[in-house]
Amino acid sequence: MKPLTRAEMEVMNVLWDASHALTVNEIVEGYAEPRPAYTTVATFLKILEAKGYVEHKRKEETGRTFYYSPMLSREKYIAHVVNDVKDTLFGSSAGSFCSFLIQNEEFSDEELREILSLIQND
């Protein structure tokens, strides 16, 4: 699985947030201002399709219009990226990875309670 660039991730986030397949125009509308050009988004969709992240289909009633949808969930992509970081930077050690996060992030009291609850329930 090839990593996503920041711009590709923005397109994927619009697709992941949608409950159905989207046209290029609908994807552009999913961006905050200033929105990218139609042709820019179309180019990123071609790249994402070549990488295996999105697919397109035509709906019979719309003729030429392509509808794009993600081929994997946001959760599966995140799991892949996190595992890659863990394997590459922390020698596949989940403990080292978690230790790094704990030492280098500032957690709110609520976040710490959630983390403790997850640890205690597993």
Side-chain angles (χ1 to χ4, degrees), residues 103-114:
Q103 292 175 15
N104 291 284
E105 291 293 322
E106 291 187 26
F107 295 101
S108 69
D109 290 343
E110 178 62 27
E111 289 172 321
L112 288 172
R113 281 191 290 277
E114 288 177 29

Side-chain angles (χ1 to χ4, degrees), residues 19-120:
S19 59
H20 58 282
L22 300 175
T23 65
V24 177
N25 281 326
E26 291 170 328
I27 294 168
V28 171
E29 291 297 315
Y31 276 79
E33 294 289 343
R35 292 185 172 113
Y38 177 99
T39 54
T40 301
V41 172
T43 299
F44 283 124
L45 286 165
K46 287 179 185 175
I47 293 167
L48 288 165
E49 194 163 22
K51 287 183 173 183
Y53 285 100
V54 301
E55 63 182 351
H56 74 271
K57 294 183 179 170
R58 285 188 179 147
K59 292 186 181 177
E60 288 182 29
E61 62 272 11
T62 59
R64 294 178 39 156
T65 305
F66 287 153
Y67 288 81
Y68 293 88
S69 56
M71 293 180 66
L72 78 160
S73 68
R74 176 184 276 134
E75 292 75 20
K76 284 189 180 184
Y77 180 73
I78 291 170
H80 172 76
V81 170
V82 169
N83 280 325
D84 189 47
V85 167
K86 177 186 60 104
D87 293 345
T88 304
L89 300 176
F90 298 96
S92 299
S93 170
S96 294
F97 181 56
C98 289
S99 178
F100 174 83
L101 289 176
I102 290 166
Q103 292 175 15
N104 291 284
E105 291 293 322
E106 291 187 26
F107 295 101
S108 69
D109 290 343
E110 178 62 27
E111 289 172 321
L112 288 172
R113 281 191 290 277
E114 288 177 29
I115 292 167
L116 285 172
S117 176
L118 287 170
I119 292 168
Q120 292 169 348

